[in-house]
């Protein structure tokens, strides 16, 4: 019987294939009490399981070095290895086994629930979703304890298959390279989940957040994954199937044509030059930036250098990471965002990061945290300034809202420069400093930004979230997260137009920049700099080369006067 399930579209395209089910997690473990004399043997069994998982991850780490493997996978396997060796996972369960005389499986699951409860309190959506790393590592250990390691079946390797799972780990996704995977769908996950990240990097259609799809779909069911609309169609009739086959062929043809655009000039029909840059998280992402033909890096999220480690990266380690990217881009701009992390985050190496606050979303984070920890901030600033000697590096400061924060930040940059002078270190004296516009107060009060800074970058994910008071990761209210809300459009247009009038460079580095359906809208607002995931860049460029900014400007002005969301949506689709 045919049926349809709706979820969150995270990687565009259409996949048609047979369902291949990935088994459920195995967290419903039995609890039994050990005899005192059996405790050492139980701890030894737990240690053996840890050793087996370490060996599995080491093998997977070898597989991710194969050319063509997305750089994200190596990072994700590394994250799992770090969690595996974390005392909270590797040591605390053994304490529970001794003190409570319980079996290893039960002790491990009890500890996992404690740890993920801490992750649930984290405000940052990306970091909060890392709780799934904990779950996946624990699942792997449980399977080692049961003697049933998880590997994807080769079944279906000769035909197109669609992975259907409750959730997927990075280790699972590594195996996709060796199988003919058409797409994947999961019950869990959001826009920044591993599944979403890997799907986009592999250009595989994917839909996540389907809730109960894994339980509804049977092995070998014929299914369609519509990665544009966030739809899963199970057992489609011949009419629907033929329609989607036609759409799929059209999309494949369009994608092959897109590659021709790699070296094409990003300019509109009326000859307006547009800068298309890429967002990255780690230095090794630079290869994708090159492959996409990006004009530079518009957002380097440096917090990844600080996460999942016991000690802070020192100045030299940070310098090497930033220099690597600056040199690799050979003169193209590299925008490095300073540490966007706070007291509520799980960077355990950060002093005070474990502090609990009543409302983390409004608490000590990003630049607020950096100004409260001047030595940490100065270390990063020195590293960036030194790296700027090797390329066109710019500094981007997140979550600025107050004039005083801008002044303090600039003073810290000058202090970092003075320290480098005293040490006689080479660095760039004239590094452009910009501010992220991601708080409505900043968007509505741009004066200090225009007077003191060199460029602006709009972080649309947080700006929309704060403007509409919607936690976009909360499935209960996610449907209210609407980038086309009249208030959102007017605020974006206001920021862009105010910056343009002041001749201040302004970019968008949030999700909106990578959505080709919104490219004409943003061009019509006056945006000339976009930064997005590298895999989205050619689709956006395609929209640019077909656009006429003069015509779009007039049409978008009319859209900005509307209040009816449906009418706005209709007109945006016609742009």
């Amino acid at each position: 019987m045919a049926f349809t399930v709706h979820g969150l579209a995270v990687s565009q395209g259409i996949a048609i294939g047979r369902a291949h089910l990935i088994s459920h997690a195995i967290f419903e473990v039995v609890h039994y009490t050990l005899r005192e004399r059996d405790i050492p043997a139980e701890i030894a069994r737990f240690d053996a399981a840890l050793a087996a998982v370490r060996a599995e991850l080491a093998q997977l780490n070898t597989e991710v070095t194969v050319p063509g493997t997305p750089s994200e996978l190596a990072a994700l396997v590394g994250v799992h290895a770090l969690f595996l060796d974390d005392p909270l996972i590797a040591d605390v369960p053994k304490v529970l086994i001794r003190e409570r005389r319980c079996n290893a499986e039960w002790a491990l699951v009890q500890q996992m629930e404690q740890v993920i409860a801490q992750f649930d309190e984290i405000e940052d959506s990306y970091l909060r979703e890392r709780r799934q790393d904990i779950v996946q590592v624990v699942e792997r250990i449980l399977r080692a304890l049961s003697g049933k390691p998880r590997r994807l079946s080769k079944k279906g390797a000769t035909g197109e298959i669609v992975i259907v799972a409750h959730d997927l780990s990075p280790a699972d996704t590594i195996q996709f390279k060796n199988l003919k995977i058409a797409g994947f769908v999961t019950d869990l996950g959001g826009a920044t989940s591993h599944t979403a990240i890997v799907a986009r990097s592999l250009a595989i259609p994917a839909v996540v957040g389907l809730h109960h799809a894994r339980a509804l779909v049977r092995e070998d069911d014929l299914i369609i994954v519509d990665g544009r609309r966030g739809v899963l169609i199970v057992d489609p009739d011949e009419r629907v199937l033929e329609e989607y086959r036609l759409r799929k062929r059209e999309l494949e043809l369009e994608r092959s044509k897109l590659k021709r655009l790699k070296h094409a000039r990003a300019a509109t029909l009326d000859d307006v030059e547009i800068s298309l840059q890429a967002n990255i998280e780690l230095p090794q992402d630079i290869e994708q930036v090159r492959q996409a033909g990006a004009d530079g890096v518009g957002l380097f999220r440096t917090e990844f250098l600080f996460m999942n480690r016991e000690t802070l990266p020192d100045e030299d380690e940070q310098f090497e990471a930033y220099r690597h990217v600056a040199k690799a881009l050979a003169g193209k701009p590299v925008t490095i965002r300073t540490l966007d992390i706070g007291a509520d985050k799980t960077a355990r190496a950060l002093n005070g990061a474990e502090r609990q606050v009543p409302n983390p979303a409004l608490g000590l984070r990003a630049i607020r945290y950096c100004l409260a920890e001047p030595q940490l901030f100065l270390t990063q600033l020195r590293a960036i300034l030194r790296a700027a000697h090797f390329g066109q590096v710019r500094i981007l400061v997140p979550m600025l809202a107050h004039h005083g924060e801008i002044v303090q930040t600039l003073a810290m940059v000058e202090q970092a420069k003075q320290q480098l002078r005293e040490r006689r270190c080479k660095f760039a004296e004239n590094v452009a400093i910009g501010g992220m516009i991601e708080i409505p107060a900043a968007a509505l009060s741009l004066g200090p930004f225009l007077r003191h800074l060199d460029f602006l970058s709009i972080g649309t994910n947080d700006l929309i979230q704060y403007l509409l008071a919607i936690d976009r990761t909360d499935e209960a209210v996610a449907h209210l997260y609407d980038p086309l809300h009249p208030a959102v459009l007017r605020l974006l247009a206001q920021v862009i137009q105010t910056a343009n009038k002041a001749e201040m460079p302004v970019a968008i580095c949030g999700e909106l920049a990578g959505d080709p359906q919104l490219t004409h809208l943003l061009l019509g607002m006056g945006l000339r700099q976009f930064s997005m995931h590298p895999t989205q860049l050619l689709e956006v460029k395609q929209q640019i080369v077909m656009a006429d900014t003069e015509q779009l400007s007039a049409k978008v002005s009319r859209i900005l006067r509307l209040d009816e969301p449906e009418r706005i949506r209709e007109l945006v689709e016609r742009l």
Side-chain angles (χ1 to χ4, degrees):
M1 180 182 71
F3 62 92
T4 300
V5 186
H6 293 265
L8 179 64
V10 294
S11 184
Q12 296 196 359
I14 292 172
I16 302 173
R18 294 286 173 181
H20 180 59
L21 307 186
I22 300 297
S23 62
H24 282 296
I26 51 173
F27 299 124
E28 294 182 5
V29 299
V30 297
H31 174 214
Y32 55 87
T33 303
L34 302 170
R35 295 176 297 185
E36 191 69 31
R37 66 188 183 194
D38 292 332
I39 290 176
E42 190 69 1
I43 290 175
R45 190 168 75 89
F46 181 72
D47 282 335
L50 292 179
V53 175
R54 280 192 196 97
E56 287 177 18
L57 292 178
Q59 176 60 33
L60 290 169
N61 196 45
T62 302
E63 293 179 22
V64 297
T65 60
V66 175
T69 303
S71 57
E72 287 89 345
L73 293 180
L76 298 177
V77 171
V79 168
H80 278 205
L82 287 169
F83 278 132
L84 180 67
D85 287 329
D86 192 299
L88 291 173
I89 298 298
D91 296 336
V92 174
K94 289 188 280 192
V95 175
L96 295 175
I97 293 171
R98 286 192 199 94
E99 293 180 349
R100 303 186 187 183
R101 294 169 52 194
C102 60
N103 54 309
E105 292 89 344
W106 190 84
L108 180 60
V109 171
Q110 296 303 303
Q111 176 59 14
M112 177 195 75
E113 291 175 350
Q114 291 285 327
V115 174
I116 61 176
Q118 296 172 16
F119 271 76
D120 285 340
E121 295 177 1
I122 298 173
E123 182 273 336
D124 182 90
S125 60
Y126 183 89
L127 298 177
R128 186 166 59 247
E129 286 194 14
R130 301 290 72 79
R131 66 184 183 274
Q132 289 305 318
D133 291 301
I134 296 287
V135 173
Q136 289 159 0
V137 168
V138 168
E139 182 186 11
R140 192 169 282 278
I141 300 170
L142 289 172
R143 289 185 180 280
L145 286 167
S146 69
K148 298 175 182 174
R150 173 161 148 177
R151 298 289 293 181
L152 287 181
S153 166
K154 294 286 185 183
K155 180 181 177 181
T158 57
E160 296 228 314
I161 63 173
V162 175
I163 297 296
V164 181
H166 185 62
D167 193 18
L168 290 170
S169 72
D172 294 327
T173 58
I174 290 168
Q175 298 169 70
F176 291 172
K177 284 184 79 274
N178 302 319
L179 301 173
K180 197 170 183 180
I181 301 296
F184 43 94
V185 296
T186 60
D187 292 341
L188 301 182
T192 54
S193 65
H194 286 325
T195 307
I197 293 169
V198 173
R200 286 193 288 268
S201 67
L202 291 171
I204 292 177
V207 178
V208 303
L210 289 161
H211 300 289
H212 304 295
R214 171 61 180 77
L216 297 172
V217 178
R218 295 170 302 181
E219 184 77 16
D220 285 330
D221 274 349
L222 180 62
I223 59 178
I224 297 171
V225 180
D226 187 337
R228 293 195 161 200
R229 299 179 180 176
V231 175
L232 170 67
I233 304 172
V234 182
D235 196 19
D237 62 33
E238 192 55 39
R239 183 185 57 81
V240 172
L241 190 59
E242 187 53 37
E243 182 182 336
Y244 268 95
R245 281 175 176 153
L246 177 60
R247 287 189 199 175
K248 184 169 182 287
R249 284 195 293 272
E250 290 173 347
L251 287 174
E252 288 170 349
L253 184 60
E254 287 176 16
R255 186 166 290 180
S256 67
K257 289 179 180 175
L258 281 178
K259 294 178 182 174
R260 303 175 190 171
L261 289 174
K262 177 181 175 182
H263 301 293
R265 181 169 162 254
T268 62
L269 294 172
D270 53 335
D271 204 29
V272 175
E273 194 89 30
I274 306 298
S275 175
L276 296 179
Q277 302 188 21
N279 298 344
I280 66 168
E281 291 154 0
L282 294 166
Q284 52 263 44
D285 295 339
I286 209 65
E287 186 53 36
Q288 275 193 301
V289 178
R290 285 175 172 149
Q291 288 176 5
D295 295 323
V297 168
L299 177 64
F300 184 171
R301 299 184 174 101
T302 59
E303 50 270 23
F304 282 79
L305 299 173
F306 292 74
M307 291 165 52
N308 305 308
R309 52 190 296 166
E310 298 296 336
T311 58
L312 293 173
D314 62 20
E315 181 182 321
D316 285 343
E317 181 180 342
Q318 293 184 60
F319 162 65
E320 291 296 341
Y322 307 147
R323 182 177 66 167
H324 174 82
V325 175
K327 290 185 71 174
L329 285 188
K332 290 182 178 178
V334 176
T335 304
I336 299 178
R337 184 174 69 184
T338 57
L339 186 62
D340 188 5
I341 205 163
D344 59 306
K345 309 294 176 59
T346 57
R348 53 185 177 274
L350 291 173
N351 181 32
E354 72 282 0
R355 187 174 73 92
Q356 297 298 311
V357 294
N359 191 339
L362 308 178
L364 193 65
R365 51 169 297 199
I367 189 60
R368 301 172 185 175
Y369 182 82
C370 286
L371 292 176
E373 296 287 343
Q375 294 309 315
L376 175 82
F377 194 31
L378 284 169
T379 299
Q380 183 177 39
L381 290 173
R382 289 194 301 268
I384 297 173
L385 291 167
R386 289 171 59 192
H389 180 70
F390 297 89
Q392 190 185 337
V393 171
R394 311 193 305 172
I395 297 174
L396 179 61
V397 185
M399 252 195 120
L400 288 168
H402 301 273
H403 176 264
E405 290 172 340
I406 298 173
V407 173
Q408 286 182 65
T409 299
L410 295 177
M412 294 287 282
V413 173
E414 287 305 313
Q415 187 177 348
K417 288 180 181 177
Q418 182 57 35
Q419 290 173 343
L420 290 172
R421 289 187 196 104
E422 291 170 359
R423 285 165 39 183
R424 300 192 175 185
C425 278
K426 290 182 179 177
F427 70 98
E429 284 278 1
N430 299 313
V431 176
I433 301 172
M436 284 199 74
I437 304 300
E438 50 190 339
I439 298 175
L444 292 167
S445 182
L446 286 176
F449 291 81
L450 300 178
R451 285 196 296 274
H452 296 291
L453 300 178
D454 300 306
F455 65 96
L456 303 177
S457 187
I458 306 173
T460 51
N461 302 351
D462 274 339
L463 182 62
I464 295 172
Q465 180 169 244
Y466 286 126
L467 185 62
L468 300 183
I470 298 296
D471 183 346
R472 60 197 169 95
T473 65
D474 184 344
E475 294 174 357
V477 295
H479 63 287
L480 297 173
Y481 182 87
D482 182 11
L484 294 182
H485 189 290
V488 173
L489 298 186
R490 288 170 192 160
L491 194 61
L492 284 176
Q494 180 179 321
V495 173
I496 293 167
Q497 290 162 10
T498 302
N500 286 343
K501 190 175 179 182
E503 299 184 348
M504 165 80 78
V506 57
I508 288 184
C509 61
E511 286 292 316
L512 262 62
D515 185 344
Q517 297 177 44
L518 302 180
T519 303
H520 287 186
L521 175 70
L522 297 174
L523 287 172
M525 289 181 181
L527 188 72
R528 300 295 180 259
Q529 294 182 34
F530 297 65
S531 189
M532 67 207 77
H533 191 281
T535 57
Q536 300 167 319
L537 196 142
L538 293 181
E539 276 194 88
V540 171
K541 185 186 279 189
Q542 184 185 40
Q543 295 299 315
I544 287 169
V545 298
M546 297 187 298
D548 183 308
T549 58
E550 201 167 320
Q551 292 179 10
L552 287 173
S553 178
K555 292 177 181 177
V556 171
S557 293
R558 287 195 289 275
I559 291 174
L560 293 173
R561 290 196 290 270
L562 298 175
D563 289 316
E564 302 83 7
E566 290 308 316
R567 181 63 176 156
I568 290 174
R569 206 170 303 280
E570 180 186 336
L571 292 182
V572 168
E573 288 175 359
R574 291 186 194 171
L575 286 174

